[in-house]
Structures are given as C-alpha cells and as structure tokens.
C-alpha cells in the first residue's frame, strides 16, 4: 500500500509538473522578451558541452520530462499565482493587444466613411469585432489562442483499470507519454500563427502597435459561437493515467493577417495638420459644468453660454474666442457616442485626441452633411446650413451672436410664434440644434452641423439661467421652435436651460415656457429633446435645413430684427439684438471669430442649393481647420478669406 | 511489439530545397524520439517561415547532414524519380543463438517514410516522367517558383502536423525509455532510396550485415 501511496503521490507530482511544464512551454513562446536566449534562429552550433554538460547545468525543474527550457520568469509567476489543484483546468489565453495610438486620424478617416449611411450603432459594430474588447485608452484585445490544460479525474470505480500492471511500469509509461506529449507541444507552439507574432515582437526593436499578453486562469468566459467559429482546435491525445487523464488542447485563430500587415508598418510620428490647441490653454474653451457624459454635447452649450453670453458678446465680439476645440469635440463626442469607450468624455475641453477631434469633427460633418433629412424640420431643409453647421462647433463659440440672430430670425417667423409662445429668439434655434446635435450621433443622417452650433450655444446657456444664446445658426430649424424647444425639455436642468429663443426671458430660464416650446414639437431627435442640450446629437444638417426653411419663409430680416428687439425682454436681449444688428450689418467685419458667424449667416441663405451648401460646408470645414491650426493671428486671415469666399457665394440677403 | 509505420505526405521539392526540407522533417521526427534530456534548439528555415526544433545533439545533426548529402547525390544520379527516405527506430535485442555467443537483432518498432518528389531542374528538359516538372521560360519562372514555394510551405506544415498527430496518437508501441545518458533514447537509422535497378541494394546488404548473421557473410 505504501507503494500505491507513493505511486499516487508520484502521479500527483507528475501531473503538477505537467501543468508547470506546459505553461512554461506556452509562455516561453508567447511572452515576448522573456527569454534570455537568442531567438534569431541562426544555426547555433551546439557545442558538445551543451548536451554533455547539460546535466550539470540543468535546473532541477528542467529534468522534468527531459525537457530543459529557457528561463521563463513569467511562467513561474503565473504558475505561482494560478496554482490550483490539479483538478482545476489551467487556461492560458494568449491575447493580441492592439494599440490605437494618438487617435491616429488615418484610423478614423476610413471610419468616417462608414458613418455616412449608417447609424452610429452600425458603424461601430462594423468597426469593432464583438470579441474585441475595446478599452477606453484606445486598446483592443483579441484572444488569439486559448490553451487548456486539465486533468480529468476518472471516477473511482474506473480507477482500477490499470491496476494489473505494475505501478512502476504504469508510472513509467505515463511519464513517457507525458514526455511525448510535451515534445509535441513544444513543436506545436512554434507552428501556430501566434508564434510569428511572438517572433516579430521579440526580434525587432520597432515600436509596434500590437503586443502579446497572456492570462492564466482556471475559469474563463467561453467564446461566443461566432468567436469559436473563427478558431480552430487542435487537441493532443490525452495521457491516460490510473485515475484520470491529462488533456491538452488549443483553440487558435488560424488567420492573423491583419496583425502581420501591421507588423511591417512601424509607428512613425505624424504631423497633425489640424491640431487644435489644448482647451486648457483657453479658458473659454472649457466647459466646466458639463454633466452630460460622453457624447453629450450638452457640455458644449454650457461653455457656450459663457462665451455666448450677451455680456460677452456685447463687450467684445472678438473676445469670443473661437475655440474650435469644444466644437470639434462636441460633434466628435456626439458622433462617437456609440463608441464612447474610444473617445474621451465629451467634456470638450480635453483634447487628448485633438487631432482626432478635428478629424472627427470633420467626419461628423461629413457624416451629416449629405443627409437630406433634417429631421428637426418638418420640411426638408436644404443643406444650406450644412456648411455653416460644419463650422458650427467652431463658430458657435465665437459667433454666438450671429447665431442667435439667426435663431431669432427664425423664431420670429410668424409661423413659429403662432405655434408656440416662444418668443422669436434665435436661441431657440440654438437649442434646436443642440438636440439635433445630440441626435447626430444617433442619427447620422441628421444635420449634425446645425446641431453642433445650436448645441454649443445652447450649452453655454444651459449652464446658467441666462437667456439661451443658442446660436442661431442652427438656423435651419425653422420648425425649431416647436421641435427644438421640444428637444430641450428635461435633461438639462430646466432652470438652466435657457431657450435661446426665449428672448423675453433672455437670461431667465423659463422652464415652463421652454417646456412648452419643447413639448410642442417633439422632434424626432427625441433623445436630444430631453432637455439636454445634447445639441450635438441633433443632426446639423437637419437643423440647417430647418433654418434655411425658416429663412425662406421668414419675413425680411430687418423686420425680424426689430421684432426680435422688441420681443426681447431680458436685459441681455437688447444687447443681443444689438449684436444681431451688428451682425446683420457687418457680416464681413466679423473678425477672427466672427468670420464663422458670417459664414454661418451666409449659410442661411435659403436660396442656396444643396450643392452650394455642400460647397460652403466644405469651405467652412476648411476654414475651421485653418482656424484651429493656425491660431488667433492667422485666424483672421483665413477667416477673412473664407468669409470672403462665402460672401461671394452669398446672395447677400443674410445679414445677421 | 508492433511496428508502426507512418507514410508522410509527399512533398514536391526543388533541388535547392531538399536540404532544408529534409532537415526539418528528420529533426522533427527525431526530436520526438529523443526522449533523453534535451535542450531544444530552434532553427528557422531560410526558405520558409517555419521554425523547427532540433534535439540539440551534435551527433544527430552530423548524421542527418551526412544522409542528406548522400541523398542529394543520389537525386542527381537519379533524376525524375520519386524518392523515399526511411527513418527507422529500432531496438537492439540480444538474441542468444544456440551455438553463437550473441546475436544482435534489430527490432524496428517504427518506420517513417518521407516521400519526396524532386522537381526537375530548370536546365534539364525532360518529359519522360510524369514526375518531371518542366520549368517554363524565365518569365513565369519566378511566379511559378513562388507559387510552388508557398505550396511547399503549406505541405511542409501539413507534414509537421502529421508527425505531431502520429506521435500523439500512437504511443503504446514506443519502447520504454532506457535508463541511460544522452539525448537519443532509441537507435535509429536513415535509409536512403536505393537504385531501382538493384534488387537488393546496398541498404539491404548493410542490414543483413548489421543483423550479424554469419551465414550471410559469405
């Protein structure tokens, strides 16, 4: 019996060491840079001493299964950490970690194309595999191999099968078979596709966008069917023992072509053409009170409020820093809503992916630009506004006044007034856009640009109970008053949310009236309408369209302006109307930041065709990019140029 | 003890690929059968993206190199022929004859047949055998070569997996590991193809000599 005890103890030891050895073999060829030996694969002429003296230099553990391996601290660490009973399986996941570095625009541009005709959800589901875990810091992980080592204990009644043989023979046989199995394992790990990745990582000093990681555990989530369908299985013949059997198998991805193609492309520094300065550098860029989480353009309006406050505007239009970052981030955020994990919270200020913001911003605009369905407006709104909306983000900041004017104009439209009690305040439009902006991410076909603008402005106002200075550039929302108002019902603190078009209340947020306004027309951008200036979500295009529509139907500007002036009751309204006039008079005079507003105003020309609007949008886009990248001094130049270009296309009727 | 035979998938190789392919296959098989304490040595093939493992024994390496050279010589003398290399593992049994002190008997317990189809060299144009691969003009040469190379790499991988599966599936016939030092646990021999016109061939004679039957020596 003693022998049986010792035999069983030996068996246990064999099994334990089998786990250790298999882990060692696997990690030795899957954990980069763990081996001290040269992997170059050059034909190493083994000196006679290497094998003859092997016994002297062999570590005790090496002798197990007659396989002397290189040192693998990771394997030891993992083993110590994992160490479980022999009855629990050991699952080793080899993970391919891909890094998305710096939100490389190149990575996103292609995706921008996907945005066009897909909902955000679709986009992102296409972009990401379900088995890829998206990490907030721009990494994606994919399990490319799963090794399962386990000892399946046999039932006690079957344990006596091998008893007729001498135990020593049994043990020897088992040990021999284990050796054979591990030899096979040693070869197999080098024949599977992941080995190539391992070698690439080990050999070259290039900075790669991917790496290999591993996880050792006892229990893992099983693969989904889809994942498993993509993997192949290779199982080693189990080694039968008296009380069970040792099993080893691997699920591996046979195709890792995407990684291999990456391997040949080292990361290189790239110039970011549209780099937008850090918002930290510009306080106005900050959106301090952005309660909304990612994708929420609500943040923008808050800051917008600050920048768009009448006081600000009155004081110095130029002081409205054209801060593209929030605008960029806002549409970006909205668009990125589904993939929030990839992008920083849409708190705007951060520009970690500044470039990406810019690019994404562009993408967003592109995304929405061609959209014919400006949902907010009941009537199809020509994409005239799109160009403006394109710059909405950028423009909103600096161009609150003109936008407000636009909004006011629309609001002053009799139709609007009739529909609700909303005073003709441009901010309404702004708000309108806000939600539309928010919707943008949800419904890419919407007028995101318009929404952007609106949202930005609205955001500003949301922050405090001042009259919403929703940029009127969300002009397209003729129906804004109804829909847009609807769109800002509840998410925002109602007291905060100031309907931009609430000229009467101006700085006074009237939740009630706002609510009325908002409730009037439940815009399709319902998500946005939930009171939050998720303006970004709203399709800018839709907003633009609505705005243009409004322009078409609206009475002459001058009249509107006067109406607006009279309608304004809040203190700021006067200033606001003044500024409105000012904008009307001198769209061209809009300097650095104002250029955008003039551009926006020009965008309101209802007479513009879609093609023209597209052109303008592109122009605005470029202008925005220039503004972002060139800074203040050059901004005026570019803005002026663009403004001039816009003006040339402008029929001159819009004179906000 | 039964003798297991494994016929590996045929590999179509070009002349310059013979060495690498044979090294890869032979070392892989031997690594599975060198059950003594080994320090594995990884070797990257130059012609293919395959890494195989050697057992690290220099004698084994030397022996394999010799055999490969012999085989190449044979191929040059016998072009356009499918060839087969046999790697056999045997046990040495001392057989006590009735009136002879000792007889050594080789009991083969495993045969590995490596089937090669050496492509005809470009300069030699021959159509006499279906095995011949007439190389086209230089224009298609590179393309064909790369296609063949890719196919050969895939086939070589298949062969390696075939070896692994065979080793895994059949373990019972492997004799117990002798308790001795050294990497190689079991004696082996590599038998090259013999001339087709020789009925017996040198290898047969050698084998007879090895078995040590004195009656055959005459």
């Amino acid at each position: 019996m003693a022998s049986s005890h010792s035999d069983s103890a030996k068996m246990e030891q064999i099994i334990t060491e089998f786990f250790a050895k298999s882990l060692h073999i696997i990690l030795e060829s899957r954990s980069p840079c763990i081996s001290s030996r040269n992997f170059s694969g050059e034909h190493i002429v083994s000196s006679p001493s290497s094998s003859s003296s092997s016994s002297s230099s062999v570590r005790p553990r090496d002798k197990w299964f007659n396989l002397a391996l290189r040192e693998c601290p990771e394997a030891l660490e993992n083993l110590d950490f994992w160490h479980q009973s022999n009855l629990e399986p050991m699952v080793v996941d080899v993970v391919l970690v891909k890094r998305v570095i710096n939100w490389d625009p190149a990575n996103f541009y292609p995706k921008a194309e996907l945005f066009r005709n897909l909902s955000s959800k679709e986009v992102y589901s296409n972009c990401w595999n379900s088995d890829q875990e998206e990490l907030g810091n721009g990494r994606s992980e994919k399990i490319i191999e799963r090794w399962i080592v386990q000892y399946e204990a046999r039932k006690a009644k079957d344990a006596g099968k091998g008893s007729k043989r001498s135990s020593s023979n049994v043990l020897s046989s088992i040990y021999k078979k284990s050796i054979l199995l591990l030899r096979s394992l040693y070869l197999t790990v080098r024949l599977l596709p992941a080995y190539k990745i391992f070698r690439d990582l080990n050999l070259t000093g290039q900075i790669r966008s991917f790496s290999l990681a591993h996880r050792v555990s006892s229990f893992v989530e099983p693969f989904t069917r889809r994942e498993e369908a993509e993997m192949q299985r290779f199982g080693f013949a189990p080694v039968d023992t008296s009380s069970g059997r040792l099993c080893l198998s691997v699920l591996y991805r046979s195709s890792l072509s995407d990684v291999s193609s990456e391997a040949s492309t080292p990361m290189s520094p790239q110039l970011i053409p549209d780099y937008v300065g850090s918002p930290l550098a510009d306080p106005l860029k900050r959106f301090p009170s952005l309660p909304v989480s990612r994708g929420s353009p609500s943040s923008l309006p808050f800051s917008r409020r600050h920048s768009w406050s009448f006081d600000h505007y009155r004081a110095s239009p130029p002081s409205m820093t054209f801060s593209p970052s929030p605008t960029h981030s806002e549409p970006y955020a909205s668009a990125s809503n589904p993939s929030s994990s990839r992008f920083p919270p849409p708190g705007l200020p951060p520009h970690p992916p500044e470039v990406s913001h810019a690019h994404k911003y562009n993408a967003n605009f592109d995304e929405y630009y061609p959209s014919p369905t400006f949902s907010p407006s009941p009537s199809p709104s020509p994409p005239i506004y799109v160009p403006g909306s394109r710059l909405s983000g950028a423009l909103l900041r600096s161009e609150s006044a003109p936008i407000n004017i636009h909004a006011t104009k629309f609001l002053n439209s009799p139709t609007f007034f009739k529909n609700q009690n909303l005073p003709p305040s441009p901010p309404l439009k702004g708000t309108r856009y806000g939600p539309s902006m928010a919707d943008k991410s949800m419904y890419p076909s919407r007028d995101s640009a318009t929404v952007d603008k609106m949202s930005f402005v609205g955001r500003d106002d949301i922050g405090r109970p001042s009259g919403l200075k929703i940029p009127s550039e969300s002009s397209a929302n003729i129906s804004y008053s109804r829909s847009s108002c609807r769109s800002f019902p509840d998410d925002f603190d109602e007291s905060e949310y100031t309907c931009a078009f609430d000229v009467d209340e101006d700085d006074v947020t009237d939740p009630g009236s706002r609510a009325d306004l908002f409730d009037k027309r439940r815009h399709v951008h319902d998500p946005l309408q939930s009171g939050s200036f998720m303006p970004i979500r709203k399709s800018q295009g839709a907003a633009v369209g609505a705005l243009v529509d409004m322009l078409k139907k609206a009475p002459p500007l001058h009249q509107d302006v006067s109406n607006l002036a009279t309608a304004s009751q809040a203190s700021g309204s006067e200033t606001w109307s003044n500024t409105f006039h000012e904008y009307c008079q001198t769209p061209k005079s809009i300097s650095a930041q104002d250029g955008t507003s003039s551009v926006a105003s020009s965008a309101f020309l209802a007479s513009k065709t879609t093609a023209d609007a597209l052109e303008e949008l592109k122009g605005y886009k470029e202008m925005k990019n220039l503004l972002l990248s060139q800074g203040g001094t050059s901004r005026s130049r570019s803005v002026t140029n663009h403004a001039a270009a816009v003006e040339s296309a402008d029929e001159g009727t819009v004179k906000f | 003890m039964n003798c297991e035979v494994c016929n590996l998938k045929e590999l179509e190789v070009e002349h310059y690929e013979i060495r690498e392919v044979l090294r890869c296959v032979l070392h892989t098989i031997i690594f599975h059968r060198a059950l003594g304490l080994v320090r594995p040595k990884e070797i990257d093939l130059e012609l293919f993206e395959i890494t195989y493992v050697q057992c690290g024994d220099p004698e084994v390496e030397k022996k394999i190199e010799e055999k490969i050279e012999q085989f190449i010589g044979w191929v040059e003398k016998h072009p356009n022929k499918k060839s087969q290399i046999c790697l056999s593992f045997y046990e040495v049994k001392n057989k006590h004859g009735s009136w002879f002190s000792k007889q050594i008997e080789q009991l083969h317990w495993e045969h590995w047949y490596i089937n090669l189809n050496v492509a005809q060299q470009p300069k030699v144009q021959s159509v006499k055998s279906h095995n011949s691969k007439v190389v086209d003009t230089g224009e298609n040469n590179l393309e064909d070569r790369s296609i063949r190379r890719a196919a050969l790499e895939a086939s070589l991988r298949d062969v390696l997996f075939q070896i692994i599966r065979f080793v895994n599936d059949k373990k019972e016939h492997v004799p117990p590991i002798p308790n001795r030092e050294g990497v190689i646990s079991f004696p082996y021999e590599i038998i090259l193809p013999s001339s087709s016109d020789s009925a017996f061939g040198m290898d047969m004679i050698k084998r007879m000599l090895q078995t040590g039957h004195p009656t055959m020596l005459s």
Side-chain angles (χ1 to χ4, degrees), chain A residues 23 27 61 72-83 214 216:
Chain A
L23 182 65
L27 291 187
R61 199 147 223 181
C72 183
E74 300 214 6
L76 292 174
E77 289 169 9
N78 277 283
L79 193 64
D80 293 339
F81 176 74
W82 166 85
H83 183 71
H214 59 272
V216 182

Side-chain angles (χ1 to χ4, degrees), chain A residues 223-245:
Chain A
F223 289 127
T224 64
R225 261 192 208 168
R226 181 171 153 262
E227 290 167 345
E228 208 155 328
E230 297 171 359
M231 305 187 91
Q232 286 182 284
R233 186 182 179 276
F234 186 85
F236 297 87
V239 176
D240 287 319
T241 69
S242 54
S243 54
R245 59 179 201 169

